[in-house]
Amino acid sequence: MHPLALTSILALGSTVFAAQLTQVSNYGGTAQAKPGMWVYVPNQVKSDALVVAIHSCQSSAQKYFQNSLIPWKKGADGKGYVTVWPSSTTECWDVSSKSSLTHNGGGDSNAIANMIMYAIAKYKINPKKVFVTGGSSGAMMSNVLAATYPELITAVSLYSGVPAGCFFSASGASAAWNNTCSGGQSISTAQHWGDVVQGMDPGYNGTRPRMQFWHGSVDATLSPKNYDETLKQWTNVFGVSTTPTSSKKDTPEKNYRTDDFGPDVEGIWAVGVGHSVPSHLMVSEAWFGL
C-alpha cells in the first residue's frame, strides 16, 4: 500500500473514533423532571473522577460543551476524567420550586443526581471523586445540588451564582426568576442561610462538599451582594467564621482576591469583572484535587 494511502486511512480512523459528546437516552431514576444527559468520555481515561458541568440560562449541554470559554473538555482530555453535561428542558434551571429544592423531590436537582449515580455505575467512577461546576443558572444549580445531595458530591466550584434557596418561589413555580434575589435584596443572617441548606435534606449529618465560589464585583445580572450571602451560607454550614483564615491578593490573576475560610470554603472575588467571570481550569481542578 502506498504510504500516503496508509496515512489517509489512519487519519480517517482517528476522526471516526475521536471522543465526542454523546447523549444518554435513559439514565434512570424516579425524578419527574427529565433534563437531557450528555457525556464526554475522553479517548484516554486516566482518572476515576467525574466532573458535572452545568450550563447557564439560554444554553444547553451542546452549547456549553462547545463554548471555548468553558474549559472542561480541555480538562477531560488533559487529565483523562469523564464529564457529564446536563441539559435543561427550560430556559434556566429550576432552582425555585420545592421539588428541586428538596432531596428526592423529583425536580431538576433530583434528575442531575440520577445522572451522577448512573455515571458512577457506568463509568466506574470513584464516589469520592464527584465534582460539580457551573456558571450563572448552572452555578445556582451547583449550590442547590450541594445542599440537596451532599452525599453524592465531593467538591463544587461555581461561577456567578446565588445562595442555595435564594430563588425559592412560594407559588411553587418551576424555574421562576426571582428579581429580589438577583438584585441583591435577599439579605439575611448566616444562620438563616445555613438553615435553608439544612432544610433541603433534613437529618443529613454526613460529610459535605467543599465549596469554592467566584463572583465579579460589577455583575449586573446577579448582584455582587450574592457573593456575601453565599459566603454566609457555607461558612455557617461548615461552622467557620466569615473572617478569612488566609487571603491572597491578585490571585489567581490581577485584581482577583482569593479568601480561604478554613479548608472547605473558598471565595474568589474578581474586581472589575462582570457576570461572565472567566473560568480558570487549573484553579478549579486544584480545588477538586485533580
Side-chain angles (χ1 to χ4, degrees):
M1 181 180 291
H2 193 281
L4 288 178
L6 177 59
T7 301
S8 298
I9 291 172
L10 291 173
L12 178 62
S14 64
T15 301
V16 170
F17 296 108
Q20 58 187 320
L21 189 69
T22 304
Q23 186 170 20
V24 174
S25 58
N26 182 13
Y27 51 84
T30 59
Q32 286 76 52
K34 291 296 179 185
M37 177 183 181
W38 294 74
V39 179
Y40 181 72
V41 180
N43 283 327
Q44 292 187 325
V45 177
K46 298 178 287 186
S47 169
D48 57 356
L50 173 71
V51 174
V52 181
I54 309 177
H55 67 73
S56 55
C57 287
Q58 300 174 324
S59 187
S60 66
Q62 302 95 311
K63 291 179 182 178
Y64 207 53
F65 179 79
Q66 293 165 1
N67 188 333
S68 61
L69 299 178
I70 306 303
W72 293 103
K73 177 187 182 299
K74 177 182 177 182
D77 287 334
K79 297 288 180 66
Y81 48 78
V82 175
T83 52
V84 164
W85 305 72
S87 198
S88 177
T89 56
T90 54
E91 187 174 273
C92 299
W93 289 102
D94 176 14
V95 292
S96 58
S97 74
K98 188 69 174 176
S99 62
S100 199
L101 297 176
T102 305
H103 183 81
N104 290 337
D108 280 356
S109 64
N110 196 167
I112 296 176
N114 293 155
M115 296 179 199
I116 292 172
M117 289 185 282
Y118 174 92
I120 288 173
K122 175 71 174 179
Y123 305 107
K124 298 179 174 59
I125 301 299
N126 183 338
K128 295 183 178 180
K129 295 182 181 178
V130 176
F131 309 106
V132 173
T133 186
S136 193
S137 182
M140 299 186 211
M141 178 52 75
S142 298
N143 255 338
V144 167
L145 283 168
T148 50
Y149 296 93
E151 78 283 4
L152 289 180
I153 302 168
T154 309
V156 174
S157 179
L158 61 93
Y159 293 74
S160 309
V162 303
C166 192
F167 262 45
F168 173 68
S169 172
S171 69
S174 173
W177 189 261
N178 186 312
N179 287 323
T180 302
C181 179
S182 65
Q185 297 169 316
S186 295
I187 308 297
S188 193
T189 64
Q191 185 64 56
H192 166 79
W193 287 124
D195 289 345
V196 168
V197 168
Q198 303 288 351
M200 291 189 194
D201 191 6
Y204 181 79
N205 58 6
T207 302
R208 292 190 177 272
R210 300 168 63 243
M211 302 299 298
Q212 180 189 74
F213 40 90
W214 308 60
H215 216 111
S217 70
V218 293
D219 191 333
T221 302
L222 295 172
S223 170
K225 291 181 180 179
N226 282 300
Y227 173 90
D228 296 323
E229 302 308 297
T230 302
L231 172 60
K232 290 178 191 176
Q233 183 169 65
W234 291 108
T235 51
N236 178 268
V237 170
F238 280 98
V240 296
S241 171
T242 55
T243 301
T245 51
S246 67
S247 186
K248 297 177 183 177
K249 293 182 178 180
D250 294 327
T251 302
E253 62 180 86
K254 187 173 175 59
N255 295 326
Y256 283 55
R257 187 189 75 237
T258 296
D259 293 328
D260 287 309
F261 305 85
D264 299 313
V265 181
E266 184 171 81
I268 301 176
W269 180 249
V271 176
V273 176
H275 185 56
S276 297
V277 179
S279 296
H280 289 69
L281 178 65
M282 291 181 64
V283 177
S284 293
E285 282 187 333
W287 184 251
F288 292 162
L290 292 170

